[in-house]
Amino acid sequence: MSPTSRARSVAQVLRPDNLEHRRAPVRSKGGAIEWVYWDSGTAHLLPRLLRLPDGSTRTRGPLFLSERRPAAGDICPHTGRARLGYDRARVLLDKHAGLDLHQLRHSAATHLGDAEVPLQLIMGKTRHKNPRTAMRYVKPGAEAIAKVTEVLASCRRTH
């Protein structure tokens, strides 16, 4: 849902019945159920994805649908269409927008790091378990280093 979410888990698990709380459960790599969250811009877009041709709204089934022939797996009960898989989503996004799903995730996490969001929150948003993995997104610039230097300087003045 957000660029920091693992696209594979969102494409496979997300259901449209979790829209009102701007969150949805996803199954992590290890099998645990975790939550992804989205902002108001995404919340405005989601109803368009759920609208059926007759004007009604899909209430269950996969969120992203494929035009391909459905397998026995995840099928929308309203349309009979299959869930859009990660590999197909990756190909379509590259073909039509020149974007890479994984690169979007890295880019969003880097923006959080640039905005001085604490590492713990970046880890929560990206669902990284290891701080070393998430550290690649935290690259403090000169302004951030100068700010920290001032914090230390003010501490010395009070002691």
Side-chain angles (χ1 to χ4, degrees), residues 120-134:
Q120 295 88 345
L121 291 177
I122 294 173
M123 288 176 62
K125 185 68 177 161
T126 60
R127 297 178 23 240
H128 281 103
K129 300 293 181 225
N130 186 334
R132 296 179 98 189
T133 308

Side-chain angles (χ1 to χ4, degrees), residues 147-157:
K147 208 167 160 182
V148 168
T149 303
E150 286 301 314
V151 169
L152 291 173
S154 66
C155 288
R156 277 184 276 164
R157 284 186 219 128

Side-chain angles (χ1 to χ4, degrees), residues 53-122:
D54 67 1
S56 63
T57 302
R58 292 187 293 131
T59 56
R60 55 194 176 94
L63 180 60
F64 300 103
L65 300 174
S66 174
E67 294 295 331
R68 294 183 170 207
R69 185 174 170 216
D74 218 354
I75 297 175
C76 174
H78 298 283
T79 65
R81 290 169 52 197
R83 171 189 50 80
L84 179 66
Y86 174 80
D87 290 331
R88 185 71 180 142
R90 184 181 47 76
V91 168
L92 291 171
L93 193 60
D94 181 41
K95 178 181 176 182
H96 296 288
L99 298 172
D100 177 88
L101 282 172
H102 199 72
Q103 187 58 42
L104 286 175
R105 175 176 156 81
H106 284 282
S107 177
T110 300
H111 287 302
L112 293 174
D114 291 345
E116 300 179 20
V117 171
L119 180 61
Q120 295 88 345
L121 291 177
I122 294 173

